[in-house]
Short mmCIF file of all heavy atoms in Angstrom, two decimals:
data_model
loop_
_atom_site.label_atom_id
_atom_site.label_comp_id
_atom_site.label_asym_id
_atom_site.label_seq_id
_atom_site.Cartn_x
_atom_site.Cartn_y
_atom_site.Cartn_z
N THR T 112 114.40 123.47 123.02
CA THR T 112 115.73 123.78 123.49
C THR T 112 115.64 124.86 124.59
O THR T 112 116.23 124.74 125.68
CB THR T 112 116.62 124.36 122.44
OG1 THR T 112 116.72 123.40 121.46
CG2 THR T 112 118.10 124.65 122.90
N TYR T 113 114.74 125.90 124.36
CA TYR T 113 114.55 126.93 125.36
C TYR T 113 114.13 126.35 126.70
O TYR T 113 114.65 126.76 127.74
CB TYR T 113 113.52 127.98 124.92
CG TYR T 113 112.98 128.92 125.98
CD1 TYR T 113 113.80 129.98 126.34
CD2 TYR T 113 111.86 128.71 126.67
CE1 TYR T 113 113.41 130.88 127.44
CE2 TYR T 113 111.40 129.60 127.70
CZ TYR T 113 112.22 130.64 128.08
OH TYR T 113 111.81 131.43 129.06
N LEU T 114 113.09 125.42 126.72
CA LEU T 114 112.68 124.85 127.96
C LEU T 114 113.68 124.02 128.60
O LEU T 114 113.70 123.94 129.87
CB LEU T 114 111.40 124.04 127.66
CG LEU T 114 110.14 124.72 127.59
CD1 LEU T 114 108.92 123.72 127.60
CD2 LEU T 114 109.91 125.82 128.69
N ALA T 115 114.55 123.42 127.84
CA ALA T 115 115.59 122.46 128.40
C ALA T 115 116.83 123.21 128.89
O ALA T 115 117.68 122.66 129.50
CB ALA T 115 115.99 121.42 127.42
N PHE T 116 116.85 124.53 128.56
CA PHE T 116 118.16 125.28 128.81
C PHE T 116 118.05 125.92 130.17
O PHE T 116 117.05 126.56 130.56
CB PHE T 116 118.25 126.35 127.71
CG PHE T 116 119.56 127.10 127.73
CD1 PHE T 116 120.74 126.42 127.51
CD2 PHE T 116 119.61 128.46 128.14
CE1 PHE T 116 121.96 127.10 127.55
CE2 PHE T 116 120.83 129.12 128.12
CZ PHE T 116 122.03 128.50 127.86
N THR T 117 119.14 125.93 130.91
CA THR T 117 119.18 126.44 132.27
C THR T 117 120.10 127.62 132.45
O THR T 117 120.17 128.32 133.46
CB THR T 117 119.54 125.42 133.36
OG1 THR T 117 120.78 124.86 132.89
CG2 THR T 117 118.53 124.32 133.47
N GLY T 118 120.84 128.07 131.44
CA GLY T 118 121.68 129.14 131.49
C GLY T 118 121.02 130.52 131.12
O GLY T 118 119.91 130.61 130.93
N PRO T 119 121.93 131.49 130.92
CA PRO T 119 121.47 132.79 130.62
C PRO T 119 120.77 132.90 129.22
O PRO T 119 121.30 132.30 128.29
CB PRO T 119 122.63 133.75 130.72
CG PRO T 119 123.78 132.92 130.73
CD PRO T 119 123.36 131.57 131.13
N VAL T 120 119.65 133.67 129.12
CA VAL T 120 118.91 133.79 127.83
C VAL T 120 118.92 135.28 127.35
O VAL T 120 118.57 136.11 128.21
CB VAL T 120 117.52 133.22 127.94
CG1 VAL T 120 116.70 133.39 126.65
CG2 VAL T 120 117.52 131.71 128.40
N VAL T 121 119.27 135.48 126.13
CA VAL T 121 119.25 136.98 125.63
C VAL T 121 118.26 136.97 124.51
O VAL T 121 118.38 136.01 123.62
CB VAL T 121 120.64 137.31 125.13
CG1 VAL T 121 120.51 138.71 124.52
CG2 VAL T 121 121.69 137.28 126.23
N VAL T 122 117.25 137.79 124.57
CA VAL T 122 116.21 137.87 123.56
C VAL T 122 116.28 139.22 122.85
O VAL T 122 116.21 140.26 123.51
CB VAL T 122 114.87 137.71 124.29
CG1 VAL T 122 113.69 137.77 123.25
CG2 VAL T 122 114.75 136.41 125.00
N ALA T 123 116.41 139.18 121.49
CA ALA T 123 116.45 140.42 120.73
C ALA T 123 115.12 140.40 119.78
O ALA T 123 115.20 139.87 118.71
CB ALA T 123 117.80 140.44 119.89
N PRO T 124 114.12 141.15 120.22
CA PRO T 124 112.91 141.12 119.57
C PRO T 124 113.00 141.91 118.24
O PRO T 124 113.76 142.91 118.18
CB PRO T 124 111.88 141.75 120.52
CG PRO T 124 112.56 141.78 121.79
CD PRO T 124 114.06 141.88 121.53
N ALA T 125 112.19 141.49 117.23
CA ALA T 125 112.05 142.38 115.97
C ALA T 125 110.65 142.00 115.44
O ALA T 125 110.31 140.88 115.29
CB ALA T 125 113.12 142.04 114.99
N MET T 126 109.83 143.02 115.26
CA MET T 126 108.47 142.85 114.77
C MET T 126 107.95 144.20 114.35
O MET T 126 108.51 145.21 114.60
CB MET T 126 107.65 142.09 115.74
CG MET T 126 107.36 142.92 117.00
SD MET T 126 106.78 141.92 118.45
CE MET T 126 108.19 140.96 118.89
N ASN T 127 106.64 144.13 113.88
CA ASN T 127 105.93 145.30 113.56
C ASN T 127 105.58 146.13 114.84
O ASN T 127 105.40 145.55 115.81
CB ASN T 127 104.61 144.86 112.76
CG ASN T 127 103.47 145.83 112.88
OD1 ASN T 127 102.77 145.93 113.83
ND2 ASN T 127 103.43 146.64 111.83
N THR T 128 105.55 147.46 114.72
CA THR T 128 105.31 148.34 115.92
C THR T 128 104.11 147.99 116.69
O THR T 128 104.06 147.93 117.95
CB THR T 128 105.29 149.79 115.51
OG1 THR T 128 106.61 150.06 114.91
CG2 THR T 128 105.07 150.71 116.67
N ASN T 129 103.04 147.76 115.95
CA ASN T 129 101.77 147.51 116.60
C ASN T 129 101.79 146.16 117.43
O ASN T 129 101.25 145.99 118.46
CB ASN T 129 100.57 147.48 115.68
CG ASN T 129 100.25 148.79 115.15
OD1 ASN T 129 100.69 149.75 115.76
ND2 ASN T 129 99.45 148.94 114.17
N MET T 130 102.51 145.16 116.75
CA MET T 130 102.63 143.87 117.46
C MET T 130 103.50 144.02 118.69
O MET T 130 103.27 143.43 119.73
CB MET T 130 103.36 142.90 116.45
CG MET T 130 102.49 142.40 115.35
SD MET T 130 103.39 141.49 114.11
CE MET T 130 103.32 139.88 114.88
N TRP T 131 104.58 144.84 118.68
CA TRP T 131 105.46 145.04 119.79
C TRP T 131 104.64 145.75 120.86
O TRP T 131 104.83 145.49 122.07
CB TRP T 131 106.67 145.86 119.39
CG TRP T 131 107.56 146.31 120.47
CD1 TRP T 131 107.81 147.58 120.92
CD2 TRP T 131 108.34 145.46 121.32
NE1 TRP T 131 108.68 147.63 121.95
CE2 TRP T 131 109.12 146.37 122.20
CE3 TRP T 131 108.53 144.13 121.35
CZ2 TRP T 131 109.92 145.85 123.18
CZ3 TRP T 131 109.41 143.61 122.36
CH2 TRP T 131 110.16 144.43 123.23
N ASN T 132 103.74 146.74 120.47
CA ASN T 132 103.04 147.46 121.58
C ASN T 132 101.83 146.73 122.08
O ASN T 132 101.16 147.18 122.94
CB ASN T 132 102.55 148.84 120.91
CG ASN T 132 103.73 149.75 120.76
OD1 ASN T 132 104.75 149.64 121.59
ND2 ASN T 132 103.71 150.75 119.83
N HIS T 133 101.37 145.64 121.39
CA HIS T 133 100.21 144.96 121.81
C HIS T 133 100.33 144.52 123.23
O HIS T 133 101.32 144.00 123.61
CB HIS T 133 99.93 143.81 120.91
CG HIS T 133 98.56 143.23 120.96
ND1 HIS T 133 98.18 142.45 122.04
CD2 HIS T 133 97.47 143.40 120.22
CE1 HIS T 133 96.85 142.14 121.96
NE2 HIS T 133 96.44 142.74 120.76
N PRO T 134 99.18 144.63 123.99
CA PRO T 134 99.24 144.19 125.40
C PRO T 134 99.64 142.75 125.66
O PRO T 134 100.39 142.48 126.59
CB PRO T 134 97.82 144.43 125.94
CG PRO T 134 97.21 145.31 124.93
CD PRO T 134 97.93 145.24 123.57
N ALA T 135 99.40 141.93 124.64
CA ALA T 135 99.75 140.50 124.80
C ALA T 135 101.31 140.40 124.72
O ALA T 135 101.93 139.71 125.63
CB ALA T 135 99.09 139.63 123.69
N THR T 136 101.89 141.12 123.74
CA THR T 136 103.39 141.08 123.63
C THR T 136 104.06 141.79 124.86
O THR T 136 105.01 141.23 125.39
CB THR T 136 103.86 141.72 122.32
OG1 THR T 136 103.09 141.15 121.30
CG2 THR T 136 105.39 141.63 122.08
N ARG T 137 103.41 142.87 125.33
CA ARG T 137 103.93 143.54 126.48
C ARG T 137 104.03 142.59 127.75
O ARG T 137 105.03 142.54 128.35
CB ARG T 137 103.26 144.83 126.87
CG ARG T 137 102.96 145.86 125.83
CD ARG T 137 104.10 146.35 125.02
NE ARG T 137 105.24 146.63 125.84
CZ ARG T 137 106.52 146.45 125.44
NH1 ARG T 137 106.79 145.85 124.32
NH2 ARG T 137 107.56 146.70 126.26
N ALA T 138 102.92 141.92 127.91
CA ALA T 138 102.83 140.96 129.00
C ALA T 138 103.84 139.86 128.89
O ALA T 138 104.47 139.48 129.96
CB ALA T 138 101.40 140.41 129.16
N ASN T 139 103.94 139.31 127.66
CA ASN T 139 104.93 138.15 127.42
C ASN T 139 106.36 138.68 127.69
O ASN T 139 107.16 137.93 128.29
CB ASN T 139 104.73 137.66 126.03
CG ASN T 139 103.44 136.90 125.89
OD1 ASN T 139 102.88 136.45 126.85
ND2 ASN T 139 102.95 136.85 124.73
N VAL T 140 106.66 139.89 127.18
CA VAL T 140 108.04 140.41 127.36
C VAL T 140 108.31 140.54 128.87
O VAL T 140 109.43 140.24 129.42
CB VAL T 140 108.34 141.70 126.59
CG1 VAL T 140 109.55 142.34 126.94
CG2 VAL T 140 108.19 141.42 125.11
N ARG T 141 107.25 141.09 129.55
CA ARG T 141 107.40 141.32 131.07
C ARG T 141 107.76 140.01 131.75
O ARG T 141 108.62 139.93 132.65
CB ARG T 141 106.13 141.91 131.61
CG ARG T 141 106.23 142.49 132.96
CD ARG T 141 105.21 143.58 133.29
NE ARG T 141 103.82 143.02 132.93
CZ ARG T 141 103.00 143.57 132.14
NH1 ARG T 141 103.38 144.58 131.39
NH2 ARG T 141 101.77 143.12 131.97
N THR T 142 106.99 138.96 131.36
CA THR T 142 107.18 137.65 131.96
C THR T 142 108.69 137.14 131.79
O THR T 142 109.34 136.66 132.71
CB THR T 142 106.29 136.56 131.28
OG1 THR T 142 104.98 137.00 131.48
CG2 THR T 142 106.49 135.13 131.84
N LEU T 143 109.16 137.35 130.48
CA LEU T 143 110.55 136.94 130.23
C LEU T 143 111.48 137.70 131.12
O LEU T 143 112.54 137.23 131.64
CB LEU T 143 110.96 137.04 128.71
CG LEU T 143 110.08 136.17 127.80
CD1 LEU T 143 110.69 136.20 126.40
CD2 LEU T 143 109.99 134.76 128.22
N ARG T 144 111.25 139.07 131.23
CA ARG T 144 112.13 139.84 132.02
C ARG T 144 112.14 139.43 133.50
O ARG T 144 113.21 139.34 134.14
CB ARG T 144 111.58 141.38 132.08
CG ARG T 144 112.28 142.15 131.04
CD ARG T 144 112.35 143.68 131.36
NE ARG T 144 112.86 144.31 130.24
CZ ARG T 144 112.07 144.88 129.33
NH1 ARG T 144 110.77 144.94 129.44
NH2 ARG T 144 112.51 145.54 128.25
N GLU T 145 110.91 139.09 134.05
CA GLU T 145 110.81 138.67 135.42
C GLU T 145 111.51 137.35 135.65
O GLU T 145 111.92 137.00 136.73
CB GLU T 145 109.38 138.55 135.81
CG GLU T 145 108.71 139.91 136.06
CD GLU T 145 107.21 139.89 136.24
OE1 GLU T 145 106.64 138.83 136.39
OE2 GLU T 145 106.69 140.95 136.22
N ARG T 146 111.63 136.56 134.53
CA ARG T 146 112.36 135.31 134.67
C ARG T 146 113.90 135.54 134.65
O ARG T 146 114.64 134.62 134.70
CB ARG T 146 112.05 134.47 133.41
CG ARG T 146 111.43 133.15 133.71
CD ARG T 146 110.89 132.56 132.49
NE ARG T 146 109.46 132.39 132.51
CZ ARG T 146 108.77 132.00 131.51
NH1 ARG T 146 109.28 131.78 130.32
NH2 ARG T 146 107.41 131.96 131.60
N GLY T 147 114.27 136.81 134.55
CA GLY T 147 115.73 137.19 134.54
C GLY T 147 116.42 137.15 133.14
O GLY T 147 117.60 137.26 133.02
N HIS T 148 115.59 136.98 132.01
CA HIS T 148 116.23 137.01 130.71
C HIS T 148 116.55 138.47 130.37
O HIS T 148 115.97 139.40 130.79
CB HIS T 148 115.26 136.47 129.61
CG HIS T 148 114.83 135.05 129.87
ND1 HIS T 148 115.50 134.25 130.77
CD2 HIS T 148 113.82 134.32 129.43
CE1 HIS T 148 114.86 133.06 130.78
NE2 HIS T 148 113.84 133.04 129.92
N VAL T 149 117.56 138.53 129.48
CA VAL T 149 118.04 139.93 129.07
C VAL T 149 117.18 140.21 127.77
O VAL T 149 117.18 139.41 126.87
CB VAL T 149 119.52 139.93 128.74
CG1 VAL T 149 119.96 141.27 128.10
CG2 VAL T 149 120.33 139.54 129.94
N ILE T 150 116.51 141.35 127.71
CA ILE T 150 115.77 141.70 126.55
C ILE T 150 116.56 142.87 126.00
O ILE T 150 116.76 143.99 126.57
CB ILE T 150 114.35 142.20 126.83
CG1 ILE T 150 113.61 141.20 127.73
CG2 ILE T 150 113.60 142.58 125.59
CD1 ILE T 150 113.24 139.94 127.15
N VAL T 151 117.07 142.67 124.69
CA VAL T 151 117.85 143.78 124.05
C VAL T 151 116.72 144.57 123.29
O VAL T 151 116.16 144.05 122.32
CB VAL T 151 118.89 143.29 123.06
CG1 VAL T 151 119.75 144.43 122.57
CG2 VAL T 151 119.70 142.17 123.76
N GLU T 152 116.39 145.76 123.82
CA GLU T 152 115.29 146.53 123.27
C GLU T 152 115.32 146.75 121.73
O GLU T 152 116.44 147.09 121.28
CB GLU T 152 115.17 147.95 123.95
CG GLU T 152 114.71 147.91 125.37
CD GLU T 152 113.32 147.58 125.58
OE1 GLU T 152 112.48 148.15 124.82
OE2 GLU T 152 112.92 146.70 126.46
N PRO T 153 114.24 146.55 121.02
CA PRO T 153 114.30 146.87 119.61
C PRO T 153 114.55 148.31 119.32
O PRO T 153 114.13 149.21 120.08
CB PRO T 153 112.90 146.45 119.15
CG PRO T 153 112.04 146.38 120.29
CD PRO T 153 112.97 146.22 121.45
N GLY T 154 115.15 148.57 118.14
CA GLY T 154 115.43 149.98 117.85
C GLY T 154 114.17 150.63 117.16
O GLY T 154 113.23 149.87 116.84
N SER T 155 114.22 151.92 117.13
CA SER T 155 113.08 152.63 116.41
C SER T 155 113.46 153.17 115.13
O SER T 155 114.62 153.43 114.86
CB SER T 155 112.69 153.92 117.28
OG SER T 155 111.61 153.62 118.09
N GLY T 156 112.53 153.23 114.17
CA GLY T 156 112.74 153.75 112.89
C GLY T 156 111.83 153.23 111.81
O GLY T 156 110.87 152.54 112.20
N PRO T 157 112.03 153.36 110.51
CA PRO T 157 111.15 152.85 109.57
C PRO T 157 111.32 151.37 109.46
O PRO T 157 112.42 150.80 109.51
CB PRO T 157 111.71 153.50 108.20
CG PRO T 157 112.88 154.40 108.60
CD PRO T 157 113.20 154.18 110.03
N LEU T 158 110.10 150.61 109.41
CA LEU T 158 110.22 149.15 109.39
C LEU T 158 109.83 148.66 108.00
O LEU T 158 109.29 149.46 107.23
CB LEU T 158 109.13 148.59 110.42
CG LEU T 158 109.36 149.10 111.85
CD1 LEU T 158 108.25 148.65 112.77
CD2 LEU T 158 110.69 148.55 112.48
N ALA T 159 110.18 147.42 107.76
CA ALA T 159 109.82 146.83 106.46
C ALA T 159 108.39 146.89 106.08
O ALA T 159 108.12 147.03 104.84
CB ALA T 159 110.33 145.44 106.46
N CYS T 160 107.56 146.94 107.06
CA CYS T 160 106.03 146.99 106.81
C CYS T 160 105.65 148.38 106.42
O CYS T 160 104.45 148.61 106.13
CB CYS T 160 105.35 146.43 107.99
SG CYS T 160 105.66 147.45 109.50
N GLY T 161 106.54 149.39 106.45
CA GLY T 161 106.15 150.73 106.06
C GLY T 161 105.89 151.62 107.32
O GLY T 161 105.75 152.76 107.23
#
Side-chain angles (χ1 to χ4, degrees):
T112 304
Y113 168 78
L114 278 193
F116 188 67
T117 53
V120 178
V121 177
V122 177
M126 65 194 75
N127 159 275
T128 297
N129 288 348
M130 291 171 81
W131 175 246
N132 287 334
H133 194 283
T136 308
R137 307 309 315 142
N139 291 334
V140 169
R141 195 159 51 240
T142 301
L143 299 190
R144 268 208 187 94
E145 283 170 13
R146 238 170 248 170
H148 300 345
V149 176
I150 309 291
V151 190
E152 287 288 314
S155 257
L158 302 172
C160 56

